[in-house]
Amino acid sequence: MQIIPAKTPDFVKTWFPNFIWNINTKKKELYLTFDDGPTPEITDWVLKTLKTYNAKATFFCIGNNIEKHPDIFNRILNGGHSVGNHTFNHLKGWRCNTDEYVEDIKKTQALIRAATSADYASHLKLFRPPYGKFKAKQSKQIQSLGYTIILWDVLSYDWDVTVSKASCLKNVITTAKEGSIVVFHDSVKAFPNLKYALPKVLDNYSKKGFSFKGLQQNRDLLIQIPELSQ
Ligand SMILES: [Zn+2]
């Protein structure tokens, strides 16, 4: 059941102006994101599908999965995609203390840094909290460590087994517009819906003249966060 709306309401974005919900742009660009990988076979399927449309995306990876599947993580990087931190253990922020939460993020960031080589310093450090939830103290601390917190504009609900394939697709194509940040998952649970919806989303928006971009080197994002461009 969809409790949180597929489209994030504007008033929610206004409550949390320090988080990135979408890119402020009139350009025909979409920002697809994939959470919870790398996952054997599924992430490679996503990479192959994106490549067909010359699409770039952002992968919010779980540190534990990067550690288990370094080859897949490297294929994400070699594909020119952006990567972000999604904690090491997919922690529920509201269930753990801030030190524990931040340590989990740092452990993941060390893996990202080790794999990213010379380009690392020039890229934004992106973080998305699992479940989109964390304590205010945690979010402040994460930002003070230089992370840009990315939430979303559109939820596909691909992970929800009670949401049909058609609804998952509809959640995206009826709501995503210029600058939208769209959430998918390269996970086993989401795969039936993802496999159906992703090619159709790519096809639909390509035909409308959209391109698909990663968030890490995004100029508009730098403009949106003034302190980053200084
Ligand atoms: Zn997640």
Side-chain angles (χ1 to χ4, degrees), residues 21-70:
W21 298 91
N22 59 278
I23 301 299
N24 291 330
T25 183
K26 291 198 166 57
K27 286 182 250 174
K28 288 187 170 185
E29 294 173 350
L30 272 196
Y31 294 84
L32 304 181
T33 66
F34 298 89
D35 292 4
D36 297 357
T39 308
E41 292 171 32
I42 295 167
T43 304
D44 280 313
W45 177 86
V46 171
L47 291 173
K48 201 174 110 205
T49 307
L50 292 173
K51 203 173 176 190
T52 314
Y53 289 86
N54 197 22
K56 301 295 178 210
T58 306
F59 291 77
F60 286 93
C61 296
I62 296 173
N64 192 23
N65 286 343
I66 299 175
E67 201 169 69
K68 281 195 285 195
H69 310 294

Side-chain angles (χ1 to χ4, degrees), residues 35-36 86 90 130-131 185:
D35 292 4
D36 297 357
H86 198 51
H90 208 255
Y131 313 96
H185 294 76

Side-chain angles (χ1 to χ4, degrees), residues 3 8 10 48 54 56 63 82 105 124 126 132 135 159-160 178 182 192-193 214:
I3 298 166
T8 305
D10 285 342
K48 201 174 110 205
N54 197 22
K56 301 295 178 210
S82 292
I105 293 166
L124 292 173
L126 307 178
K135 294 176 190 164
W159 76 91
D160 188 333
E178 291 82 351
V182 183
N193 280 347

Side-chain angles (χ1 to χ4, degrees), residues 200-213:
K200 291 182 171 57
V201 167
L202 288 163
D203 197 53
N204 186 291
Y205 284 91
S206 292
K207 282 179 180 152
K208 289 181 188 165
F210 276 73
S211 59
F212 305 90
K213 303 212 160 173

